[in-house]
Amino acid sequence: MSAVEELDEFAHDLLWTWQPRIENLFRTIDPEQWELTRQNPVLLLNQLGEAGVTRALEREDVRTALEVARMARSDYYDRNPRFMDAKAPLVVAYFSLEFGLAECLPIYSGGLGVLAGDHLKATSDLGLPLVAVGLLYKQGFGRQEIDAAGRQVEVYSETRGSDLPVRRVEGVEVEAPIGSRAVRIGVWRAQIGRVPLYLLDTDLEANPQDLRAITDRLYVPEPDRRLRQEIVLGIGGVRALHALGLTAGVFHLNEGHSFLCAIERIRELRASRQMTLEEARLVARAGIVFTTHTPIAAGSDYFEPGLVWDHLGPYLSQVGISFDRFMDLGRQRPGDPRERLCTTYAALRLADQSVGVSRLHGAVSRRLWKDAWRGLPESQIPIGSVTNGVHMPTWIAPEIAELLRRYVGPDWWDLDGRDGRWHAVFEIPAADLWATHLALKGRLLDFSKRRAEKPRDLDVDALTIGFARRFAPYKRANLLLQDPARLTALLNNSKRPVQMLFAGKSHPADEPGKDIVAKIVELARQEPRVVFLKDYDIELAGYLVHGADVWLNNPRRFLEASGTSGMKAGANGALNVSILDGWWDEAYRPELGWAIPSGATLERPEIDDHAEAEGLYRLLEREVVPTFFDRDKDGIPPHWVEMMRASIRHTATAFSARRMVIDYFNLAYAPGARRVEQLRLLPDWGG
Ligand SMILES: *Cc1c(COP(=O)(O)O)cnc(C)c1O
């Protein structure tokens, strides 16, 4: 392989997103272009052209960086990952409408996508046999701009496959039914270390215009467009795996979006093995794992019977399932012909293992979806939980990772949470940890000038609170604005100054959410210690979770399924100040963060916004701020640093994507693969 081809290989393996030594190769080639391309190695190389790349390779610094990148790559691939010898008989196929892997692959919108991306990275680290399936959108999720009135506007731009870290799989095309028509689907492949991600694309010349547009954009609001995307993902996805020669037995559906994958499995089994509908349903079911990610019924997709009939009528007769039975799979009250099809009910009824994304969300889900099992008491509803986790090598700052490497060990990212070596986190000298943190905070404050709606000179010595998430009303980004005088006093105490960094987008159709963006922007335009950072994305999230002192999360309780940004922050030593919701309900301990008091319980879920704002002000005024400004003779806050160590030690292990993937393996993938294999071996059903 020539060096030019080798660079191209590096650019097409997203391993660089969690191997700083590989990322550094691209940065070295052209630091300015690297930032201008939004860290897109493929676009960078395309712009340089073969002559430019050849010239770069003549430079000493580039040759050294290439040598280092080669070392990083072989360190990674030569290591025997944990599951390499697990001999799992069947491949797991992971389905999601979005994957958040890098800024330069705009096929995600937020938390669900980043979680799916982290799942793939951790799976690669562990060597689990898994392939992923999603869609390749021509336009990413809109970039956020703020207009003169302070309101969010979305700007869409088109991407070309040849400028993205993906490659077309030549010679593979499949079809999926859209009513009595068929849409042709092309397949692209992205490489995430050891894990392939197959991305489906309907923008082919063979398709009429309306079908070409199916994969235009993520999360289109119109139900008919949404259903078409779900047909392509679910039905097209299973067919694409076949066309690629991959035999998956276990299918992991994320959200109800991919529930049609289970129906296509049933169709296949019936066609290839002459099974009855019931037989096929049971065999398919044995390998279906479903994760519900939202805690409200309105978060699901709902499809009118007429729409479903128009799009899936002919297909359902091929499957051999009556339209009414199919609709009933997705109804709260089967038999009610007017009720719409809810994809979450359908997925729950088709899956053998269903889970929520934190322990508390498991309980919320058992209550929310109990009608899928009418007559069962709530405590026996078969929805469990696998708590989310984040990919630590992606989200922990390289400087903190270096401390972990030195004190815990070079394989810190691959160690079990129970491993005694983790105690060494408490041996990191306070001066080192604090200096590292201040450097990261300084980098965040510098970066904030590039993204700030109104740039400010922020103070590295002020207590810096980060708040970044989707601006949906239940997340209450404006909770601290309830009492403006008290907020001003908190920020502008001359001995103990506090500053706040906000970031987040609203869904394009969420007007109340956009009102909250406007309120925060207005505050930031007036108050020098508050900054609104535009266009929250993976890059900005990295700077924020590395550099914030405090990570604030104050949703209405029970509405945050898990929340993962707090895990990213906590693993870097930011201290969480959060409502006991989602992951924090199981992670909170007084030695590593704070719980904002909330009176809401599962039995009495009523929320008192006013009382919770009061609780938050008091917590900040009486505990958080004093602990931060309590300094020893060297200017270090001893108790704060001790909490940082506890936060890193606990969060980096218990809330890692590594732990999450192992939990899925033990709870769902391995048992599912065994069941499918046993059913396959039954003599009547043949090989
Ligand atoms: C982690 C992350 C999220 C999800 O964080 P929550 O705490 O669940 O809101 C959303 N967007 C980006 C860019 C992220 O990195």
Side-chain angles (χ1 to χ4, degrees), residues 328-339:
D328 278 352
L329 278 173
R331 283 177 172 142
Q332 186 174 10
R333 291 169 306 279
D336 177 350
R338 283 159 313 176
E339 202 187 317

Side-chain angles (χ1 to χ4, degrees), residues 96-149:
S96 173
L97 265 189
E98 53 169 313
F99 289 89
L101 291 150
E103 219 24 80
C104 63
L105 191 53
I107 55 170
Y108 75 98
S109 93
L112 175 65
V114 177
L115 180 82
D118 280 9
H119 196 107
L120 304 190
K121 293 174 183 179
T123 299
S124 168
D125 294 347
L126 289 163
L128 208 70
L130 179 145
V131 301
V133 182
L135 302 186
L136 184 67
Y137 304 98
K138 193 156 69 175
Q139 307 176 340
F141 202 65
R143 297 221 159 268
Q144 179 192 49
E145 286 293 337
I146 304 291
D147 69 14

Side-chain angles (χ1 to χ4, degrees), residues 341-384:
L341 179 144
C342 164
T343 54
T344 301
Y345 276 117
L348 288 167
R349 289 193 176 109
L350 288 160
D352 196 63
Q353 286 286 336
S354 294
V355 297
V357 291
S358 66
R359 258 183 250 155
L360 187 60
H361 180 237
V364 170
S365 302
R366 287 191 283 280
R367 170 155 304 180
L368 193 60
W369 304 110
K370 60 181 184 302
D371 287 346
W373 294 270
R374 291 210 145 193
L376 265 196
E378 194 175 306
S379 61
Q380 290 176 27
I381 297 294
I383 302 179

